[in-house]
Amino acid sequence: MSFCIAIDGPAAAGKGTISKAVAKHFGFAHLDTGLLYRATGAKTFEGLTPIEAAESLVAADLDRDDLRSGDAGQAASRVAAVPEVRAALVDFQQAFARREGGAVLDGRDIGTVICPDAEVKLYVIASDEVRAQRRHKELVEKGEDITLEDVLEDLRERDERDAARATAPLKPAEDATVIDTTEMGIEEAVAKVIALIEARRA
Ligand code: DC
């Protein structure tokens, strides 16, 4: 039996952490779809066009250790605005969403485009400042030398581009439940989401 949980939202709102915890709780597979775009963006650093990069993507590309950098995030957001790049990545994501045993996918367009019939749709948000603090901490722990102001600017620039693009823009599905993690600890958010999913599965 398939069961798809779609978790969308802007950068660093907490959707990755929530997705992993929810997948673990229910024993579902998890796909961080941002990694597909980050890996595509990273391949353009080596001279491929965005379309060539997306069409030649293989599983090993997702294991690169530079995918979490700020540069890879910006490159991901740029290639993600190219309709042919998005088209090249659809089949893989849709097959993942409908795999046996249940799946959690997090991204920007899961509830709107990839899995519009998902059993559960969430849209995770948090204030710009809180998102920037979380992402800054993460990057500094990885050894990046970056200021909080630069992280905030980077997130806002990326969100604006992701929300303004013509194809599959960042936006909540009409039937998504909005989870605001600004004031909530991540544990509280995870507990709330698990309760919501359990109610839908009953
Ligand atoms: O979730 P993330 O920050 O790793 O995503 C990186 C970029 O990839 C994001 O700025 C926009 C793009 N993306 C997208 O367009 N659609 C998705 N489903 C996931 C990510």
Side-chain angles (χ1 to χ4, degrees), residues 48-175:
L48 295 183
T49 66
I51 299 172
E52 286 166 353
E55 288 177 347
S56 65
L57 207 64
V58 291
D61 293 324
L62 305 183
D63 294 332
R64 293 173 64 128
D65 56 13
D66 58 349
L67 298 185
R68 291 283 167 209
S69 69
D71 287 349
Q74 282 291 355
S77 174
R78 279 194 288 272
V79 299
V82 180
E84 292 87 347
V85 165
R86 306 198 72 83
L89 302 176
V90 166
D91 287 353
F92 173 75
Q93 294 175 82
Q94 289 184 334
F96 193 98
R98 283 298 162 209
R99 65 200 278 152
E100 278 296 304
V104 182
L105 283 81
D106 72 89
R108 302 293 186 289
D109 63 338
I110 309 304
T112 51
V113 173
I114 299 298
C115 208
D117 57 352
E119 281 73 9
V120 179
K121 294 184 190 178
L122 304 173
Y123 193 77
V124 182
I125 57 169
S127 73
D128 291 1
E129 289 71 22
V130 163
R131 293 189 298 121
Q133 279 161 14
R134 289 180 189 153
R135 183 52 52 90
H136 182 248
K137 184 165 177 274
E138 219 175 270
L139 292 173
V140 167
E141 279 169 6
K142 284 207 173 74
E144 272 202 48
D145 181 18
I146 188 163
T147 66
L148 181 61
E149 291 67 33
D150 284 347
V151 173
L152 181 62
E153 200 180 312
D154 177 82
L155 289 183
R156 284 185 171 147
E157 193 188 318
R158 213 140 63 79
D159 290 346
E160 272 168 34
R161 191 188 300 117
D162 295 344
R165 68 179 176 231
T167 310
L170 166 68
K171 66 170 184 196
E174 274 173 21
D175 50 349

